[in-house]
Each structure stands twice: as C-alpha cells, then as structure tokens.
Amino acid sequence: MSESHIQRKDTLRSLRIKFGYTQEEAARLIGVSVKTLRAWERDSSNVPYQKMKKFEEVYNTSDDFIFFGNEVSFSELIRKHVS
C-alpha cells in the first residue's frame, strides 16, 4: 500500500502540541484532570462523547479528523506505510 492510501488523522497528543498547549492547560480547557488527559492521549478509544465535543471546540477540529484509539498503533501504521 502506498502512502497515498493512508488517511491523515491527528492524535489527541499531536493536536495538543500543534496548538501549543501543555497537558495542564489542555486538561483545564477540556475540564478533566491531567491524569485523565494523559490516559486519553495514550488511548483515546474511551473518551466520552461530551468530552469529544469539548476537544472539537478547544482544538477547532472535527472528530472526523481525530484518530480514536492507541497512539502507538497509529504511529506503527504510519511507519509501515512511509518506509
């Protein structure tokens, strides 16, 4: 499969970094603890719908473009298709 077949998705961590927020700042804006945000940045498959809407507001990004799941798995997928 060529690189062109990969649909670009953003992880919660990459969006936070892109917008220049620390974990503390992002957690405050989302309305969760830093511990919860860290867990969701590692595996976003358990983010409640209400909080996902908050992520959309804070990061000005539709949930269609946010990757749900394990960040490590996504990174491995990208590495396989780019190399």
Side-chain angles (χ1 to χ4, degrees):
M1 179 183 282
S2 72
E3 183 178 351
S4 62
H5 290 120
I6 298 174
Q7 183 177 2
R8 171 82 167 57
K9 299 284 186 181
D10 285 312
T11 63
L12 295 178
R13 180 175 178 265
S14 70
L15 283 168
R16 177 179 55 77
I17 291 167
K18 177 181 173 181
F19 280 83
Y21 295 128
T22 64
Q23 284 183 323
E24 291 78 11
E25 292 168 327
R28 182 181 46 77
L29 291 168
I30 302 296
V32 297
S33 70
V34 173
K35 181 179 177 180
T36 297
L37 179 63
R38 283 185 185 134
W40 288 346
E41 285 188 353
R42 284 189 304 275
D43 183 352
S44 62
S45 62
N46 294 319
V47 177
Y49 179 76
Q50 299 86 346
K51 292 301 178 186
M52 199 61 253
K53 290 299 175 190
K54 193 68 178 169
F55 278 108
E56 286 182 332
E57 289 175 27
V58 171
Y59 296 142
N60 194 31
T61 304
S62 168
D63 65 3
D64 291 340
F65 295 100
I66 299 174
F67 177 76
F68 291 91
N70 187 299
E71 183 176 8
V72 173
S73 298
F74 179 68
S75 297
E76 289 172 2
L77 173 71
I78 294 298
R79 264 196 303 271
K80 286 179 187 176
H81 294 290
V82 172
S83 55

